[in-house]
Amino acid sequence: MRNLIGKSVAIGAIAALALTATACGSGRDGDSGGSKGDTKGFASDSLIGVALPSKTSENWVLAGDLFTNGLKEAGFKSDVQYAGASTTVADQQAQITAMVTKGAKVIVIGATDAAQLSTQVAAAHQAGVKVIAYDRLITNTPDLDYYVAFDNFKVGQLQGQALLDGMKAKKPNGPYNVELFSGSPDDNNAGVFFDGAMSVLKPEIDKGNVVVTSKQTDVKQTAIQGWKAEGAQARMDQLLTSTYGSKELDGVLSPNDTLARAIITSIKGAGKPVPVVTGQDSEVESVKSIMAGEQYMTINKDTRNLVKQTIAMVKALQAGNTPEVNDTKSYNNGSKVVDTYLLPPVAVTKANAAEAYANDPKLAPLTK
Amino acid sequence: MSRLKDLQKNLFGGTTSNARQFGMIFTLVAIVVLFQILTDGLTLRSDNLIALFNQNSYILILAIGMLMVIVAGHIDLSVGSIAAFTGILVAKSMAEWSLPWPVAILFGLVIGAIIGAWQGFWVAYIGVPAFIVTLAGMLLFRGGNQFIGNANTIPVPEGFRLIGSGFLPEVGPSTGYNNLTLLLGLASCVAVVWREFQARKTRREMNADPAPMWISLLRLAVMVGVIVFASLRFASGRVGTSFPVSGIILVVLVLAYSFYTRNTAGGRHIYAVGGNSRAAELSGVKLKRVNFFVMMNMAVLASLAGMIFVARSAASGPQDGNGWELDAIAAVFIGGAAVAGGIGTISGSIVGGLVMAVLNNGLQLLGVGTDRVQIIKGLVLLLAVALDVYNKSQGRFSVIGSITRSFRRDTPTPPTSSSDAEREPARTAVSG
């Protein structure tokens, strides 16, 4: 027994010592990162992290595939992650932290919630990782390095203009009755689309040429939480019942294709003629709808170009260069003005669809 | 008494240890080692350990409250919504009424208490099943969150973020480590040693057999070893990081609630109610008061968890709290609680939560997508509980028994004593 006591104590002590030794071996990393890595670049086979929102639209799935393939072609190791369907924000936070731990050199983030990632972005910055916000600007953090997106204000302007053009083509003289929809309030872009569209529509509304019959013009009233189709359909149902019993609806400003189709479903369900409805994203179903003469327009923001541009930025960082940006003034995220590369969006109606999608293997056949 | 029996009885959690709990600790260690190898040493690196606590402390805090709710024979589906509701109110109170952040935290806890009193009232005094009350609460407070927040994301000030993403300050001489974390580690070593000898003394005073000295020493060596290892790891992260503040809040809560559920009359009443509520009532347990307390307590902890998450995210958003109830419930069941109530421990639930957390983290480090992570977590939950159910129906099977059977040949014991040793955990399980 005595022997055993001795043995156990010895084993315990050795275990404790061994653990201590491994721990001591790690040492403490200094607060290096940040400034040090600025001009040097990094190894050409480094890990690049890509954190995307949950797979709720075709665009994100496509973007994920394009990133996986594009980064591989460029010689990088990639880690492309989607947030889960229910715990999106927490998933994305954990994924970004894991990418930093794994030693990613650049992290590209398509944020699920623009304002809830500042802690993780700060941790990445302190570890010397460059952070690029993809498509959605991350707000309230001074640690974001670059932003790459389509010009979303321009998207709104194109939608507003198309709405006016479309209604004029159907009925030469106003006043036109319209309703306004906007995207999810936690998506930073939703407000930008709406403001862009209103910059075109507001003068016409003030002149009385365009009438928002329900008088719901505030972004809080028009917003659809989570970009959910059922939300838009429900709101349109209610507008039709409350406002359009006898009046005619000429146009609907819809921020994207999913909502546009839901709005059209609602209007058809009520037995009314389909008005001019705008959209965005060039989703397959909406392109079909445009060719069938229901939805009036959509916006082509070719995800291929956006991913290509992002990978070009990653390559520039790898070589130790400053990535090309074309807007250093307009995107203030609440803490700083973020250097931005904006790609131009294209408005697509039935008239120019064939031309606009000529290079898109999935959409081109639909326009023939 | 065989030495192995001593070992299994005394090494983890004193005499109330049970096979299930040991099995979970064993699983946790196995998963950590597995991922440590698979990720090339990333899992136990300082920054990852710190991130692990930062990411999961709010779920583990929920698990503490959920354990008590489940032990009492109820369930709470509303924790995520309560967390989100409190989060938005606290964020707004700071943004619009400019409440100083410590006051805002108190305000949040008060909101939790009021919500808890509301739910507790329906469960305890009206007798509506907790499942229904909290299902209603889930809708009610999720709606409340959206109503108040207009589904906006509202940032919170720097000071408030301390409770979710803060670290201990760097003080004292430059040692290459975070000194306060080292001090915390030292304090816990001293506390562990003191507690061990105190327990031995108590047992001697009560004329009970204290565990053999070698067991005590081995246990101390393992625990001190783990504490020393952990505190060195936590102290050696990047400058400016330490054992996270949210982790400290968690540890304090775990200690306090473990003491409450194990060593006080109020705590034991929860187990009595969950085991057999009629019998408990007839023996003088104030049934309504216990039910009221567990529901109210859960809501307060949910509020705290919500605030920690908001602090960590630097903003309160409309997605907060989605699915948290399920994570907390999974942690509790993996940690060995019985679905019917009456059985389960705080430490078990924390270990259960950590198993899920390490699994999640390790898979993420390996780059496994969330879709597959969810599938794996679902299977782990199912298997853990299935094992528990199977063990009960078999009556004799014990995880520890099966692990140690091969070592037992060299310590011949009479068959009666051996089967005793195997049945022991099953019997002591109830006392948690």
Side-chain angles (χ1 to χ4, degrees), chain B residues 316-337:
Chain B
S316 163
Q319 309 276 356
D320 291 5
N322 270 348
W324 290 6
E325 56 281 343
L326 303 178
D327 282 338
I329 292 170
V332 169
F333 285 132
I334 290 180

Side-chain angles (χ1 to χ4, degrees), chain A residues 38-117:
Chain A
D38 263 1
T39 47
K40 273 197 213 143
F42 47 83
S44 60
D45 62 344
S46 300
L47 180 72
I48 308 298
V50 181
L52 301 174
S54 56
K55 299 179 180 176
T56 45
S57 90
E58 291 170 18
N59 257 326
W60 291 115
V61 181
L62 176 63
D65 294 345
L66 290 170
F67 269 118
T68 308
N69 297 333
L71 286 170
K72 197 170 153 196
E73 263 168 44
F76 296 108
K77 288 197 273 293
S78 71
D79 180 17
V80 179
Q81 296 284 342
Y82 292 96
S86 63
T87 52
T88 48
V89 176
D91 275 350
Q92 202 161 44
Q93 291 174 343
Q95 282 163 350
I96 294 166
T97 313
M99 286 167 188
V100 174
T101 306
K102 285 161 79 174
K105 295 294 179 197
V106 180
I107 299 180
V108 178
I109 303 173
T112 47
D113 189 316
Q116 289 190 300
L117 294 175

Side-chain angles (χ1 to χ4, degrees), chain B residues 124-140:
Chain B
Y125 294 100
I126 307 293
V128 182
F131 186 93
I132 306 295
V133 171
T134 58
L135 184 59
M138 185 178 176
L139 298 169
L140 225 158

